[in-house]
Amino acid sequence: MCRVVDLRQAVLAKNDAGAAELREHLAARGTAEVNLLSSPGSGKTALLELLLARAVAGGVTVAAVTADLATENDARRLARAGAPVKQVLTDGLCHLEAGMLRERLDGWLPRDTRVLFVENVGNLVCPASYDLGESLRIVLGSVTEGEDKPLKYPTAFGLAHLVVITKTDIAEAVEFDAAAFHRNVRQVNPGVPVLETSARTGAGVDELLALILGVADGAPVHQPVLAHQHERYLHHHHGDEDGHTHDGHGDGHGDGRGDGDGPSHGHPAADSVHVPVRVPGAADTP
């Protein structure tokens, strides 16, 4: 148990340090990063394409990085909006990491970019645990995925600054219970804003873009309760100078649970929530 905790800490601590540096770098150049997370098939790419097109039409300088295990299909699709787009192929890795993103941005991101959209790998497990230096983390859930999605993926939804429902134009056809979805979101992330959208009809897209631009201009974002617990976790397992909790349990939280009260930004593990952490070289568990 001790070794598992140490590996988890080492990987996440390294990523968080890189994320902090990237956040500072982007802030210095006036760029807000938006991290988009969802399951495959949620309509994330369609919504992002529309956001980019409307931003470009409105004279807003935006860019996008899209990550997939293989193919450059999404990059070609997003480029139709007229914004700079870069594809990142993760070669089997189920998520992006801050260092990977920083490496792809160096020498490519246009200097005057106001908003950088990052379309993370389609997955609600691995990406949830990695801070990418974002100003805004948006988790999407489509009406076709079911009302219980937030309960099945409490870490992803619990760390969101904003939750977006997609494909609302077919909500009636698939008998989506919006009220139940909202209740389930509140259960894992009390107070988080929830916005309903449709890329097909355009519903909610202008509102979403306005919210994103507001964050880029310094508007405050929702602070998830779960994120406070995660910050405590990262600093909790330093039993001595080598960072070991020798009995594997520390003072009762050696299983990766936190109980703290400090603010954070997209960190892993929390009370009563098991967070799978992808260690480079280990097998993925999507």
Side-chain angles (χ1 to χ4, degrees):
M1 183 62 191
C2 179
R3 184 58 177 161
V4 172
V5 170
D6 290 342
L7 284 173
R8 180 180 297 166
Q9 275 191 274
V11 171
L12 295 173
K14 179 180 179 180
N15 182 79
D16 283 355
E21 292 177 2
L22 179 56
R23 183 175 290 110
E24 182 178 349
H25 170 73
L26 291 174
R29 57 184 290 160
T31 301
E33 180 196 322
V34 178
N35 186 6
L36 301 170
L37 289 81
S38 77
S39 299
S42 68
K44 181 167 75 267
T45 305
L47 182 61
L48 178 53
E49 183 181 1
L50 191 53
L51 284 169
L52 291 173
R54 295 198 177 183
V56 170
V60 180
T61 51
V62 294
V65 169
T66 181
D68 279 304
L69 276 68
T71 83
E72 297 189 356
N73 295 344
D74 286 352
R76 286 192 290 267
R77 180 176 175 182
L78 293 175
R80 299 183 305 196
V85 177
K86 190 174 187 67
Q87 180 79 51
V88 176
L89 298 180
T90 63
D91 295 324
L93 193 65
C94 61
H95 61 276
L96 277 177
E97 296 179 5
M100 295 167 57
L101 180 59
R102 177 68 182 270
E103 180 181 312
R104 301 318 194 275
L105 295 179
D106 284 346
W108 170 79
L109 186 65
R111 200 68 193 150
D112 60 347
T113 302
R114 185 176 175 191
V115 179
L116 169 66
F117 291 93
V118 177
E119 184 181 18
N120 219 314
V121 179
N123 186 332
L124 282 177
V125 180
C126 304
S129 300
Y130 287 83
D131 184 353
L132 296 183
E134 65 264 25
S135 303
L136 181 66
R137 176 179 287 210
I138 302 177
V139 175
L140 296 82
S142 73
V143 300
T144 58
E145 295 177 85
E147 301 81 5
D148 61 347
K149 204 72 169 182
L151 302 182
K152 288 183 175 181
Y153 299 93
T155 302
F157 283 90
L159 288 174
H161 299 127
L162 171 68
V163 172
V164 170
I165 303 175
T166 61
K167 304 185 182 182
T168 57
D169 55 290
I170 60 171
E172 185 176 353
V174 298
E175 299 182 344
F176 177 70
D177 188 340
F181 184 90
H182 282 259
R183 284 196 304 270
N184 292 336
V185 169
R186 289 196 300 270
Q187 184 173 329
V188 299
N189 194 344
V192 67
V194 179
L195 182 62
E196 300 186 3
T197 67
S198 167
R200 176 174 293 177
T201 68
V205 176
D206 287 336
E207 184 180 354
L208 176 57
L209 181 58
L211 189 153
I212 291 169
L213 295 179
V215 171
D217 289 339
V221 298
H222 166 73
Q223 294 299 312
V225 173
L226 190 59
H228 293 234
Q229 299 169 338
H230 288 181
E231 177 70 15
R232 179 67 174 175
Y233 167 80
L234 290 177
H235 301 289
H236 189 67
H237 296 282
H238 295 283
D240 55 23
E241 291 181 358
D242 65 4
H244 287 65
T245 34
H246 295 288
D247 60 359
H249 298 286
D251 60 358
H253 299 294
D255 57 352
R257 294 178 293 173
D259 58 357
D261 55 3
S264 96
H265 195 86
H267 299 301
D271 282 334
S272 74
V273 178
H274 170 67
V275 182
V277 176
R278 200 322 182 153
V279 178
D284 292 328
T285 308

